[in-house]
Amino acid sequence: MSGQTLLLVVASSAAIAAVVGLAAWILLRLVTRAPILVHLVTVAAAAVSAVVGGILVASNAMYLSEADVQLALAIALSSGAVAILVAVLLGGRVARAAGVLRRAAADLGAGVPVRTAAETGLAIGEFRAVLDELAASDARLRAARSEIERQEKARQDLVVRITHDLRVPLAGIRAQAEALQDGVAPDPDRFLTRIVGQVDRVDRLVDDLFAVSRLDAGALALRLEPTSLGDLASDVVADVRAVADAAGVELTVEIRRDAVVEVDPLQLGRAIANLVANAVQHTPGGSGVRVVIDAGRARVRIAVHDGGPGIRDEDAELLFEAGWRGTEARSPHAVDITAGAGLGLAIARGIARAHGGDVTAANAGGSGAIFALEVPTAGASPEPAVDNA
Protein backbone atom coordinates (compact mmCIF):
# COMPACT_ATOMS: atom_id res chain seq x y z
CA MET A 1 0.00 0.00 0.00
CA SER A 2 1.41 3.34 -1.10
CA GLY A 3 1.72 6.28 1.25
CA GLN A 4 -1.03 8.13 -0.61
CA THR A 5 -3.40 5.20 -0.27
CA LEU A 6 -2.56 4.85 3.45
CA LEU A 7 -3.26 8.52 4.01
CA LEU A 8 -6.59 8.19 2.18
CA VAL A 9 -7.57 5.17 4.33
CA VAL A 10 -6.70 6.99 7.56
CA ALA A 11 -8.56 10.11 6.48
CA SER A 12 -11.62 8.13 5.42
CA SER A 13 -11.67 6.13 8.66
CA ALA A 14 -11.32 9.31 10.69
CA ALA A 15 -14.15 10.92 8.73
CA ILE A 16 -16.42 7.94 9.36
CA ALA A 17 -15.53 7.96 13.07
CA ALA A 18 -16.28 11.70 13.21
CA VAL A 19 -19.64 11.26 11.51
CA VAL A 20 -20.57 8.37 13.82
CA GLY A 21 -19.41 10.37 16.86
CA LEU A 22 -21.44 13.41 15.79
CA ALA A 23 -24.52 11.24 15.29
CA ALA A 24 -24.05 9.71 18.74
CA TRP A 25 -23.62 13.18 20.28
CA ILE A 26 -26.83 14.43 18.63
CA LEU A 27 -28.69 11.32 19.81
CA LEU A 28 -27.48 11.77 23.38
CA ARG A 29 -28.54 15.43 23.29
CA LEU A 30 -32.01 14.34 22.22
CA VAL A 31 -32.27 11.75 25.01
CA THR A 32 -30.61 13.78 27.76
CA ARG A 33 -33.08 12.57 30.37
CA ALA A 34 -32.69 8.92 29.40
CA PRO A 35 -31.24 6.47 31.97
CA ILE A 36 -27.48 6.26 32.26
CA LEU A 37 -27.59 2.75 30.75
CA VAL A 38 -28.86 4.24 27.44
CA HIS A 39 -25.97 6.68 27.39
CA LEU A 40 -23.37 3.96 28.00
CA VAL A 41 -24.81 1.63 25.32
CA THR A 42 -24.97 4.53 22.84
CA VAL A 43 -21.29 5.30 23.44
CA ALA A 44 -20.32 1.64 23.03
CA ALA A 45 -22.41 1.27 19.83
CA ALA A 46 -20.83 4.41 18.38
CA ALA A 47 -17.35 3.05 19.04
CA VAL A 48 -18.19 -0.27 17.38
CA SER A 49 -19.78 1.48 14.38
CA ALA A 50 -16.69 3.61 13.90
CA VAL A 51 -14.46 0.50 13.94
CA VAL A 52 -16.71 -1.35 11.42
CA GLY A 53 -16.74 1.67 9.13
CA GLY A 54 -12.94 1.83 9.28
CA ILE A 55 -12.66 -1.86 8.41
CA LEU A 56 -14.92 -1.43 5.37
CA VAL A 57 -12.83 1.48 4.08
CA ALA A 58 -9.57 -0.41 4.67
CA SER A 59 -10.84 -3.56 2.96
CA ASN A 60 -11.87 -1.64 -0.16
CA ALA A 61 -8.56 0.20 -0.29
CA MET A 62 -6.57 -3.01 0.11
CA TYR A 63 -8.63 -4.83 -2.53
CA LEU A 64 -9.28 -7.76 -0.23
CA SER A 65 -11.37 -10.69 -1.43
CA GLU A 66 -15.02 -10.83 -0.51
CA ALA A 67 -14.34 -13.71 1.89
CA ASP A 68 -11.66 -11.72 3.70
CA VAL A 69 -13.95 -8.72 3.99
CA GLN A 70 -16.75 -10.88 5.38
CA LEU A 71 -14.35 -12.44 7.88
CA ALA A 72 -13.12 -9.02 9.03
CA LEU A 73 -16.69 -7.77 9.38
CA ALA A 74 -17.71 -10.90 11.29
CA ILE A 75 -14.84 -10.41 13.72
CA ALA A 76 -15.63 -6.71 14.13
CA LEU A 77 -19.36 -7.30 14.63
CA SER A 78 -18.92 -10.17 17.07
CA SER A 79 -16.38 -8.15 19.05
CA GLY A 80 -18.72 -5.17 18.94
CA ALA A 81 -21.63 -7.25 20.20
CA VAL A 82 -19.55 -8.47 23.12
CA ALA A 83 -18.43 -4.90 23.83
CA ILE A 84 -22.04 -3.68 23.86
CA LEU A 85 -23.05 -6.57 26.15
CA VAL A 86 -20.23 -5.67 28.53
CA ALA A 87 -21.36 -2.02 28.38
CA VAL A 88 -24.89 -3.13 29.28
CA LEU A 89 -23.65 -5.19 32.24
CA LEU A 90 -21.35 -2.46 33.51
CA GLY A 91 -23.94 0.17 32.79
CA GLY A 92 -26.46 -1.75 34.88
CA ARG A 93 -24.03 -1.69 37.78
CA VAL A 94 -23.48 2.03 37.39
CA ALA A 95 -27.23 2.57 37.08
CA ARG A 96 -27.85 0.67 40.32
CA ALA A 97 -25.20 2.78 42.05
CA ALA A 98 -26.86 5.93 40.73
CA GLY A 99 -30.18 4.60 42.03
CA VAL A 100 -28.66 4.22 45.50
CA LEU A 101 -27.52 7.83 45.38
CA ARG A 102 -30.95 8.97 44.21
CA ARG A 103 -32.66 7.17 47.08
CA ALA A 104 -30.10 8.61 49.50
CA ALA A 105 -30.86 12.11 48.25
CA ALA A 106 -34.59 11.46 48.65
CA ASP A 107 -34.04 10.14 52.18
CA LEU A 108 -32.00 13.24 53.00
CA GLY A 109 -34.90 15.46 52.07
CA ALA A 110 -37.49 13.26 53.80
CA GLY A 111 -35.63 13.06 57.09
CA VAL A 112 -34.87 9.34 56.76
CA PRO A 113 -31.38 8.32 57.96
CA VAL A 114 -28.99 8.01 55.02
CA ARG A 115 -27.00 4.78 54.99
CA THR A 116 -23.27 4.86 54.30
CA ALA A 117 -21.51 3.11 51.41
CA ALA A 118 -20.43 0.29 53.71
CA GLU A 119 -24.04 -0.28 54.79
CA THR A 120 -25.39 -0.32 51.23
CA GLY A 121 -22.52 -2.35 49.73
CA LEU A 122 -21.80 0.33 47.13
CA ALA A 123 -18.41 -0.46 45.55
CA ILE A 124 -17.69 2.18 42.88
CA GLY A 125 -15.17 4.63 44.29
CA GLU A 126 -16.68 7.96 43.20
CA PHE A 127 -20.19 6.86 44.11
CA ARG A 128 -18.97 5.64 47.52
CA ALA A 129 -17.43 9.05 48.19
CA VAL A 130 -20.62 10.86 47.22
CA LEU A 131 -22.81 8.54 49.33
CA ASP A 132 -20.55 8.86 52.37
CA GLU A 133 -20.64 12.63 52.02
CA LEU A 134 -24.44 12.51 51.82
CA ALA A 135 -24.51 10.38 54.98
CA ALA A 136 -22.19 12.84 56.74
CA SER A 137 -24.33 15.77 55.60
CA ASP A 138 -27.41 13.95 56.86
CA ALA A 139 -25.77 13.48 60.27
CA ARG A 140 -24.89 17.18 60.42
CA LEU A 141 -28.40 18.20 59.40
CA ARG A 142 -29.92 15.91 62.03
CA ALA A 143 -27.67 17.38 64.69
CA ALA A 144 -28.57 20.90 63.54
CA ARG A 145 -32.29 20.08 63.58
CA SER A 146 -31.99 18.61 67.06
CA GLU A 147 -30.14 21.71 68.26
CA ILE A 148 -32.75 24.00 66.71
CA GLU A 149 -35.55 22.01 68.34
CA ARG A 150 -33.72 22.12 71.68
CA GLN A 151 -33.19 25.86 71.40
CA GLU A 152 -36.80 26.41 70.40
CA LYS A 153 -37.99 24.45 73.43
CA ALA A 154 -35.59 26.44 75.61
CA ARG A 155 -36.99 29.68 74.21
CA GLN A 156 -40.54 28.55 74.88
CA ASP A 157 -39.63 27.59 78.44
CA LEU A 158 -37.88 30.95 78.84
CA VAL A 159 -40.98 32.81 77.67
CA VAL A 160 -43.09 30.90 80.20
CA ARG A 161 -40.67 31.69 83.02
CA ILE A 162 -40.29 35.33 82.01
CA THR A 163 -44.06 35.71 81.84
CA HIS A 164 -44.37 34.37 85.37
CA ASP A 165 -41.48 36.49 86.65
CA LEU A 166 -43.04 39.60 85.17
CA ARG A 167 -46.56 38.90 86.37
CA VAL A 168 -45.57 38.38 90.00
CA PRO A 169 -44.00 41.82 90.62
CA LEU A 170 -46.52 43.54 88.35
CA ALA A 171 -49.39 42.00 90.30
CA GLY A 172 -47.75 43.16 93.52
CA ILE A 173 -47.27 46.66 92.16
CA ARG A 174 -50.89 46.79 91.02
CA ALA A 175 -52.27 45.55 94.35
CA GLN A 176 -50.19 47.97 96.40
CA ALA A 177 -50.91 50.88 94.06
CA GLU A 178 -54.65 50.18 94.33
CA ALA A 179 -54.33 50.05 98.14
CA LEU A 180 -52.62 53.44 98.07
CA GLN A 181 -55.19 54.80 95.65
CA ASP A 182 -58.08 53.64 97.84
CA GLY A 183 -56.41 54.99 100.97
CA VAL A 184 -56.44 51.62 102.74
CA ALA A 185 -52.66 51.14 102.95
CA PRO A 186 -51.74 51.03 106.67
CA ASP A 187 -48.18 52.23 105.95
CA PRO A 188 -47.96 54.18 102.66
CA ASP A 189 -44.19 54.69 102.88
CA ARG A 190 -43.59 50.95 103.27
CA PHE A 191 -45.90 50.26 100.32
CA LEU A 192 -44.03 52.76 98.17
CA THR A 193 -40.70 51.18 99.13
CA ARG A 194 -42.01 47.78 98.07
CA ILE A 195 -43.28 49.17 94.79
CA VAL A 196 -39.86 50.70 94.06
CA GLY A 197 -38.18 47.36 94.87
CA GLN A 198 -40.51 45.47 92.57
CA VAL A 199 -40.00 48.02 89.79
CA ASP A 200 -36.24 47.54 90.21
CA ARG A 201 -36.72 43.78 89.93
CA VAL A 202 -38.68 44.18 86.68
CA ASP A 203 -36.03 46.60 85.41
CA ARG A 204 -33.25 44.08 86.12
CA LEU A 205 -35.22 41.35 84.38
CA VAL A 206 -35.79 43.49 81.28
CA ASP A 207 -32.11 44.47 81.27
CA ASP A 208 -31.13 40.80 81.43
CA LEU A 209 -33.44 39.99 78.52
CA PHE A 210 -31.86 42.74 76.41
CA ALA A 211 -28.42 41.41 77.32
CA VAL A 212 -29.37 37.86 76.28
CA SER A 213 -30.83 39.08 72.98
CA ARG A 214 -27.69 41.10 72.19
CA LEU A 215 -25.44 38.16 73.03
CA ASP A 216 -27.51 35.75 70.91
CA ALA A 217 -27.37 38.19 67.99
CA GLY A 218 -23.64 38.80 68.42
CA ALA A 219 -24.40 42.49 68.79
CA LEU A 220 -22.79 43.13 72.17
CA ALA A 221 -20.61 46.24 71.73
CA LEU A 222 -17.49 46.05 73.89
CA ARG A 223 -15.63 49.15 75.03
CA LEU A 224 -12.18 47.76 75.68
CA GLU A 225 -9.74 49.43 78.00
CA PRO A 226 -6.76 48.28 80.11
CA THR A 227 -8.25 46.82 83.28
CA SER A 228 -6.75 45.11 86.31
CA LEU A 229 -8.87 41.99 86.72
CA GLY A 230 -7.84 41.71 90.35
CA ASP A 231 -9.19 45.21 91.05
CA LEU A 232 -12.29 44.51 88.98
CA ALA A 233 -13.07 41.30 90.86
CA SER A 234 -12.43 43.01 94.20
CA ASP A 235 -14.85 45.82 93.31
CA VAL A 236 -17.51 43.30 92.31
CA VAL A 237 -17.07 41.38 95.56
CA ALA A 238 -17.37 44.63 97.53
CA ASP A 239 -20.70 45.33 95.83
CA VAL A 240 -22.05 41.87 96.70
CA ARG A 241 -20.56 41.65 100.19
CA ALA A 242 -23.57 43.23 101.95
CA VAL A 243 -25.87 40.64 100.42
CA ALA A 244 -23.50 37.83 101.37
CA ASP A 245 -23.27 39.11 104.93
CA ALA A 246 -27.05 39.23 105.16
CA ALA A 247 -27.17 35.59 104.07
CA GLY A 248 -24.47 34.58 106.53
CA VAL A 249 -22.01 33.72 103.73
CA GLU A 250 -18.34 34.65 104.07
CA LEU A 251 -17.04 36.22 100.86
CA THR A 252 -13.29 36.43 100.22
CA VAL A 253 -10.95 37.31 97.35
CA GLU A 254 -7.56 35.72 96.66
CA ILE A 255 -5.36 37.36 94.01
CA ARG A 256 -2.56 34.94 93.21
CA ARG A 257 -1.36 36.72 90.07
CA ASP A 258 -3.03 39.78 88.62
CA ALA A 259 -2.93 41.02 85.03
CA VAL A 260 -3.98 44.17 83.19
CA VAL A 261 -6.04 43.06 80.22
CA GLU A 262 -7.90 44.86 77.43
CA VAL A 263 -11.54 44.16 78.37
CA ASP A 264 -14.84 45.95 78.81
CA PRO A 265 -14.84 46.47 82.59
CA LEU A 266 -18.60 47.11 82.74
CA GLN A 267 -19.58 43.96 80.86
CA LEU A 268 -16.91 41.69 82.35
CA GLY A 269 -17.72 43.04 85.82
CA ARG A 270 -21.33 42.07 85.20
CA ALA A 271 -20.25 38.54 84.27
CA ILE A 272 -18.16 38.22 87.44
CA ALA A 273 -21.02 39.64 89.52
CA ASN A 274 -23.40 37.05 88.10
CA LEU A 275 -21.02 34.23 89.02
CA VAL A 276 -20.46 35.58 92.54
CA ALA A 277 -24.17 36.18 93.09
CA ASN A 278 -24.95 32.67 91.86
CA ALA A 279 -22.38 31.26 94.29
CA VAL A 280 -23.81 33.25 97.22
CA GLN A 281 -27.32 32.12 96.37
CA HIS A 282 -26.33 28.45 96.38
CA THR A 283 -24.12 28.56 99.47
CA PRO A 284 -25.78 27.87 102.84
CA GLY A 285 -25.28 30.25 105.75
CA GLY A 286 -22.16 29.61 107.79
CA SER A 287 -20.20 28.54 104.70
CA GLY A 288 -18.17 30.68 102.33
CA VAL A 289 -17.53 31.77 98.76
CA ARG A 290 -13.97 32.30 97.55
CA VAL A 291 -12.99 34.25 94.40
CA VAL A 292 -9.51 33.38 93.07
CA ILE A 293 -7.71 35.38 90.35
CA ASP A 294 -4.74 33.71 88.68
CA ALA A 295 -3.08 35.03 85.52
CA GLY A 296 -1.02 32.90 83.19
CA ARG A 297 0.89 33.79 80.04
CA ALA A 298 -2.08 33.22 77.74
CA ARG A 299 -5.19 33.49 79.93
CA VAL A 300 -6.47 34.98 83.15
CA ARG A 301 -8.69 32.74 85.28
CA ILE A 302 -11.25 34.04 87.75
CA ALA A 303 -12.56 31.04 89.71
CA VAL A 304 -15.56 31.32 92.02
CA HIS A 305 -15.65 28.53 94.62
CA ASP A 306 -19.00 28.11 96.37
CA GLY A 307 -19.93 26.08 99.43
CA GLY A 308 -23.10 24.56 98.04
CA PRO A 309 -24.06 20.95 97.38
CA GLY A 310 -22.36 20.86 93.99
CA ILE A 311 -23.67 20.26 90.48
CA ARG A 312 -25.74 17.21 89.62
CA ASP A 313 -24.63 15.28 86.55
CA GLU A 314 -28.00 15.74 84.85
CA ASP A 315 -27.79 19.51 85.38
CA ALA A 316 -24.27 19.98 84.00
CA GLU A 317 -25.39 20.53 80.41
CA LEU A 318 -28.18 22.92 81.42
CA LEU A 319 -26.36 25.33 83.71
CA PHE A 320 -25.73 27.94 81.03
CA GLU A 321 -29.08 27.65 79.27
CA ALA A 322 -30.97 30.95 79.28
CA GLY A 323 -33.93 30.60 81.61
CA TRP A 324 -32.80 27.37 83.31
CA ARG A 325 -32.87 27.34 87.08
CA GLY A 326 -31.28 24.95 89.51
CA THR A 327 -33.24 22.57 91.68
CA GLU A 328 -34.26 23.42 95.21
CA ALA A 329 -31.27 21.40 96.39
CA ARG A 330 -29.01 24.10 94.94
CA SER A 331 -31.18 26.94 96.18
CA PRO A 332 -31.04 26.86 100.01
CA HIS A 333 -32.05 30.49 100.31
CA ALA A 334 -33.12 33.38 98.12
CA VAL A 335 -30.95 36.43 97.56
CA ASP A 336 -32.53 39.57 96.17
CA ILE A 337 -29.60 40.41 93.92
CA THR A 338 -29.92 37.12 92.07
CA ALA A 339 -33.70 37.01 91.82
CA GLY A 340 -34.53 36.70 88.15
CA ALA A 341 -35.35 34.29 85.38
CA GLY A 342 -32.21 32.16 85.41
CA LEU A 343 -30.30 34.34 82.94
CA GLY A 344 -27.23 35.18 85.01
CA LEU A 345 -25.00 32.26 84.03
CA ALA A 346 -26.03 32.47 80.37
CA ILE A 347 -25.14 36.17 80.34
CA ALA A 348 -21.81 35.50 82.07
CA ARG A 349 -20.80 32.90 79.49
CA GLY A 350 -21.95 35.10 76.61
CA ILE A 351 -19.90 38.05 77.85
CA ALA A 352 -16.83 35.86 78.40
CA ARG A 353 -17.11 34.42 74.89
CA ALA A 354 -17.52 37.92 73.45
CA HIS A 355 -14.08 38.62 74.98
CA GLY A 356 -12.63 35.47 73.39
CA GLY A 357 -12.89 33.46 76.61
CA ASP A 358 -15.41 31.17 78.25
CA VAL A 359 -17.07 30.16 81.51
CA THR A 360 -16.94 26.56 82.72
CA ALA A 361 -18.37 24.78 85.74
CA ALA A 362 -17.27 21.70 87.68
CA ASN A 363 -17.66 20.16 91.09
CA ALA A 364 -14.87 20.84 93.56
CA GLY A 365 -12.81 17.99 94.95
CA GLY A 366 -14.47 18.09 98.37
CA SER A 367 -17.76 19.96 98.32
CA GLY A 368 -19.29 22.78 96.35
CA ALA A 369 -18.76 23.83 92.76
CA ILE A 370 -16.26 25.98 90.87
CA PHE A 371 -17.37 28.40 88.14
CA ALA A 372 -14.32 29.62 86.24
CA LEU A 373 -14.26 32.60 83.89
CA GLU A 374 -11.25 32.79 81.59
CA VAL A 375 -10.25 35.53 79.15
CA PRO A 376 -7.11 35.79 77.00
CA THR A 377 -4.36 38.07 78.22
CA ALA A 378 -3.50 39.20 74.67
CA GLY A 379 0.15 39.59 75.57
CA ALA A 380 -0.34 41.15 79.00
CA SER A 381 2.29 40.15 81.51
CA PRO A 382 1.14 38.78 84.89
CA GLU A 383 1.71 41.03 87.86
CA PRO A 384 2.82 39.96 91.34
CA ALA A 385 0.21 38.89 93.86
CA VAL A 386 -1.30 41.55 96.10
CA ASP A 387 -2.85 41.42 99.50
CA ASN A 388 -6.24 39.74 99.65
CA ALA A 389 -9.27 41.96 99.70
Side-chain angles (χ1 to χ4, degrees):
M1 180 184 297
S2 64
Q4 185 177 3
T5 303
L6 178 60
L7 183 61
L8 178 62
V9 170
V10 171
S12 300
S13 300
I16 292 174
V19 171
V20 171
L22 179 61
W25 179 78
I26 294 174
L27 178 61
L28 291 177
R29 288 295 301 271
L30 294 175
V31 295
T32 302
R33 297 182 179 274
I36 191 171
L37 181 61
V38 174
H39 290 256
L40 292 175
V41 171
T42 300
V43 172
V48 171
S49 300
V51 171
V52 171
I55 291 176
L56 289 175
V57 171
S59 62
N60 289 330
M62 294 172 63
Y63 302 104
L64 297 177
S65 64
E66 185 176 352
D68 291 337
V69 173
Q70 291 176 352
L71 178 61
L73 287 176
I75 293 173
L77 291 175
S78 60
S79 299
V82 172
I84 293 175
L85 178 60
V86 170
V88 170
L89 295 177
L90 295 179
R93 186 184 180 194
V94 173
R96 285 191 295 273
V100 172
L101 291 182
R102 182 185 61 78
R103 288 190 294 272
D107 290 342
L108 184 64
V112 179
V114 177
R115 297 188 299 168
T116 63
E119 293 172 332
T120 59
L122 194 61
I124 301 177
E126 289 80 358
F127 288 99
R128 285 179 63 89
V130 173
L131 184 57
D132 285 340
E133 184 58 35
L134 283 175
S137 298
D138 177 64
R140 290 192 293 268
L141 287 174
R142 286 180 171 278
R145 281 195 293 265
S146 298
E147 179 63 17
I148 291 173
E149 292 172 358
R150 186 190 65 78
Q151 291 181 357
E152 182 60 28
K153 184 178 184 304
R155 289 190 185 96
Q156 292 174 356
D157 293 342
L158 177 60
V159 169
V160 172
R161 295 190 183 103
I162 293 299
T163 301
H164 175 268
D165 287 334
L166 284 174
R167 281 178 176 172
V168 170
L170 290 176
I173 292 171
R174 181 183 182 88
Q176 293 172 95
E178 289 177 348
L180 290 171
Q181 186 178 31
D182 296 338
V184 297
D187 187 352
D189 290 339
R190 183 165 58 89
F191 273 52
L192 289 173
T193 301
R194 287 181 177 177
I195 289 175
V196 171
Q198 290 169 336
V199 170
D200 289 341
R201 179 180 176 185
V202 172
D203 184 64
R204 287 197 302 270
L205 180 57
V206 172
D207 185 53
D208 284 349
L209 287 173
F210 275 120
V212 169
S213 65
R214 289 195 300 269
L215 290 169
D216 287 344
L220 181 66
L222 298 178
R223 297 180 178 179
L224 304 180
E225 59 183 74
T227 304
S228 166
L229 294 190
D231 290 345
L232 181 61
S234 298
D235 292 341
V236 168
V237 169
D239 292 337
V240 184
R241 191 178 299 281
V243 177
D245 291 342
V249 175
E250 183 183 2
L251 190 55
T252 59
V253 179
E254 178 184 345
I255 303 178
R256 295 177 181 172
R257 285 178 296 180
D258 195 7
V260 176
V261 183
E262 289 281 339
V263 297
D264 185 326
L266 180 62
Q267 295 296 341
L268 197 63
R270 180 178 189 175
I272 298 171
N274 287 350
L275 296 182
V276 174
N278 176 75
V280 171
Q281 183 183 18
H282 295 141
T283 299
S287 187
V289 171
R290 186 162 53 98
V291 181
V292 180
I293 298 92
D294 194 0
R297 290 184 176 276
R299 302 176 81 80
V300 182
R301 187 172 190 264
I302 302 173
V304 181
H305 302 247
D306 67 42
I311 303 168
R312 300 192 308 175
D313 292 340
E314 57 268 32
D315 294 342
E317 297 297 326
L318 303 173
L319 286 172
F320 298 98
E321 291 289 340
W324 183 85
R325 294 172 182 170
T327 62
E328 291 299 323
R330 276 190 56 82
S331 302
H333 55 78
V335 179
D336 289 342
I337 194 172
T338 60
L343 303 176
L345 293 180
I347 292 173
R349 170 171 276 186
I351 292 173
R353 289 182 172 177
H355 283 83
D358 202 358
V359 175
T360 58
N363 285 318
S367 62
I370 302 174
F371 286 79
L373 184 153
E374 292 186 347
V375 292
T377 59
S381 57
E383 298 180 356
V386 299
D387 293 336
N388 292 348

